[in-house]
Amino acid sequence: MRILIVAGARPNFMKVAPIMRALQQYQRNVQLRLVHTGQHYDDAMSGSFFRDLGMPEPDVNLEVGSGSHAQQTATIMQRLEPVLLEFAPQLVIVVGDVNSTLAAALTAKKLNIRVAHVEAGLRSFDMTMPEEINRLCTDAIADDLFTTDRLADANLIRQGVPADHIYFVGNVMIDSLLACCNIAASAAYPKRVGLESRKYATLTLHRPSNVESAEKFEELLGALAEVATNIPIVFPVHPRTRQRIKDFGLQPFFVDRPGQTGIWMTNPLGYVEFLSLNASARLALTDSGGIQEETTILGVPCVTLRENTERPITITEGTNHLGGTSRNSILEAVTVALNRPEGDHRIPEKWDGKAAQRIAEIIVGRL
Ligand code: UD1
């Protein structure tokens, strides 16, 4: 069986790594090819993740780079089509909700190739999010839908997906997290930059709705600067966010040294370094999807700087609090998060490090 797996942007790599490892155990039956679309290309956004996660070099890199959503999606489709025609896989696996996910699913399906979507069924019900559009469209055409929780199954059923196309397998992102926890602990990034365990908060911000408007971004930073008077904040900055800080003249919000009262910016961190930073944090502040899940497993309180989440299980079972994006709602959520009793969360069902193995068994079992 020829299987082609597609990765494109930072949050894809930790999902693809365990699936590849699980499928490689079936080498006698499976010929696997990894395509990197090149949506992310900086070493800090891509190469370092491949190294940290022990991933092989991609067999093909489409080198699409940055562009508008239409440009990026269309270029991936144009460049992936000949690769699919040449390799003629029986299955294309896509993960997550980035532009590469939708572009690859659409290209494969139009060639009548079976498509598997890993992390299917998540819904924020917010159609202004590019990822929600990617999730909806990918799920509408995928043949095998692998889900992380039972609410995702229900979302898919409501959307008309036949039940026998849906497989609740757990969370492949957590497979990577559990596999790398020990290496992350020994990486000891916080110690290296002089941060004391549980005496700082982490911050990530890159959603267009938060950082593309000067007014909104400034309001957010104002609220976060207030939080940082109590607990210093470490902020590894996405390249686009860094550009906006410059464009909007927001540099005065930041301090020079880690651990100093205030918000300290640093370059994007690799997978293992960021995991070690988050694992020892007192609090995580984020608008990322994956970090809501990771902090649930790490037991670190998280405040999500958004009005909604496609991952409500991280609130009902995990350590996540929806903080919204206005000053008052953020400060309120931070207080609640900092006061939550330790250990007051559950590990969601099947977030046990074995999700990729379940996926591989289902795929290979069909042979
Ligand atoms: C993408 C995903 C988002 C994910 C995020 C994680 C979509 C629609 N969005 O958003 O879901 O949470 O990745 O990072 O797919 N850039 C660099 N170096 C890189 C890559 C990007 O400097 O290696 C800069 C460029 O200025 C580029 C901008 O970041 O224009 C945006 O990159 P893009 O991949 O389009 O979207 P992200 O905002 O990263």
Side-chain angles (χ1 to χ4, degrees), residues 26-348:
Y26 301 97
Q27 259 169 1
R28 277 184 42 201
N29 308 92
V30 171
Q31 200 187 336
L32 194 58
R33 193 166 282 192
L34 171 64
V35 171
H36 190 327
T37 65
Q39 176 174 347
H40 285 176
Y41 41 85
D42 284 346
D43 189 66
M45 303 290 284
S46 173
S48 82
F49 281 73
F50 272 69
R51 291 193 295 278
D52 279 8
L53 293 158
M55 289 171 72
E57 285 287 307
D59 298 288
V60 179
N61 192 325
L62 304 177
E63 294 180 349
V64 299
S66 302
S68 72
H69 286 254
Q71 278 168 346
Q72 202 170 51
T73 309
T75 312
I76 295 168
M77 292 183 71
Q78 279 181 339
R79 295 190 187 173
L80 182 61
E81 188 176 53
V83 177
L84 292 176
L85 287 170
E86 183 266 320
F87 183 53
Q90 282 97 354
L91 179 73
V92 168
I93 303 177
V94 298
V95 302
D97 55 15
V98 300
N99 287 345
S100 300
T101 311
L102 171 61
L106 205 47
T107 315
K109 201 61 206 158
K110 290 269 180 120
L111 293 171
N112 289 325
I113 300 168
R114 194 177 182 94
V115 171
H117 183 205
V118 176
E119 205 186 82
L122 299 183
R123 296 289 181 269
S124 66
F125 303 102
D126 174 359
M127 289 298 281
T128 64
M129 271 183 95
E131 293 82 2
E132 183 74 356
I133 301 167
N134 293 341
R135 288 190 280 262
L136 270 166
C137 297
T138 304
D139 286 343
I141 57 173
D143 301 278
D144 302 314
L145 298 103
F146 294 107
T147 61
T148 51
D149 65 50
R150 294 188 188 277
L151 190 57
D153 293 18
N155 288 336
L156 292 170
I157 297 278
R158 209 175 321 113
Q159 199 185 310
V161 176
D164 60 354
H165 292 202
I166 304 169
Y167 305 91
F168 169 39
V169 290
N171 194 331
V172 286
M173 191 150 190
I174 303 309
D175 293 7
S176 278
L177 181 140
L178 295 177
C180 292
C181 260
N182 287 342
I183 317 169
S186 58
Y189 173 80
K191 213 169 167 188
R192 263 194 288 141
V193 294
L195 290 164
E196 259 182 82
S197 184
R198 309 284 172 229
K199 297 258 170 74
Y200 62 89
T202 60
L203 169 66
T204 73
L205 276 178
H206 72 277
R207 292 271 156 236
S209 53
N210 281 340
V211 302
E212 292 299 322
S213 136
E215 217 177 36
K216 179 46 75 184
F217 198 179
E218 193 166 351
E219 181 182 354
L220 276 170
L221 287 177
L224 295 166
E226 284 188 56
V227 174
T229 55
N230 288 325
I231 178 162
I233 295 179
V234 182
F235 181 23
V237 191
H238 186 287
R240 183 165 45 76
T241 305
R242 187 176 282 276
Q243 188 56 46
R244 293 299 166 262
I245 290 168
K246 220 166 125 195
D247 298 344
F248 303 151
L250 299 172
Q251 293 94 334
F253 278 102
F254 301 98
V255 297
D256 298 332
R257 275 179 292 114
Q260 195 181 340
T261 303
I263 309 172
W264 175 64
M265 275 200 283
T266 183
N267 289 330
L269 299 178
Y271 181 69
V272 165
E273 283 189 334
F274 188 66
L275 182 54
S276 91
L277 182 69
N278 247 350
S280 298
R282 174 75 185 85
L283 173 73
L285 300 149
T286 190
D287 62 5
S288 141
I291 293 170
Q292 300 170 48
E293 298 182 338
E294 291 170 342
T295 47
T296 276
I297 298 301
L298 296 169
V300 171
C302 176
V303 171
T304 295
L305 303 167
R306 286 172 47 190
E307 303 296 344
N308 52 55
T309 176
E310 62 288 338
R311 293 162 161 92
I313 197 170
T314 60
I315 298 176
T316 52
E317 304 205 9
T319 55
N320 191 17
H321 301 260
L322 212 50
T325 59
S326 68
R327 175 191 173 270
N328 291 352
S329 63
I330 292 171
L331 296 182
E332 222 169 273
V334 166
T335 306
V336 175
L338 287 173
N339 285 314
R340 61 176 299 136
E342 216 173 299
D344 182 24
H345 66 281
R346 289 187 298 276
I347 304 295

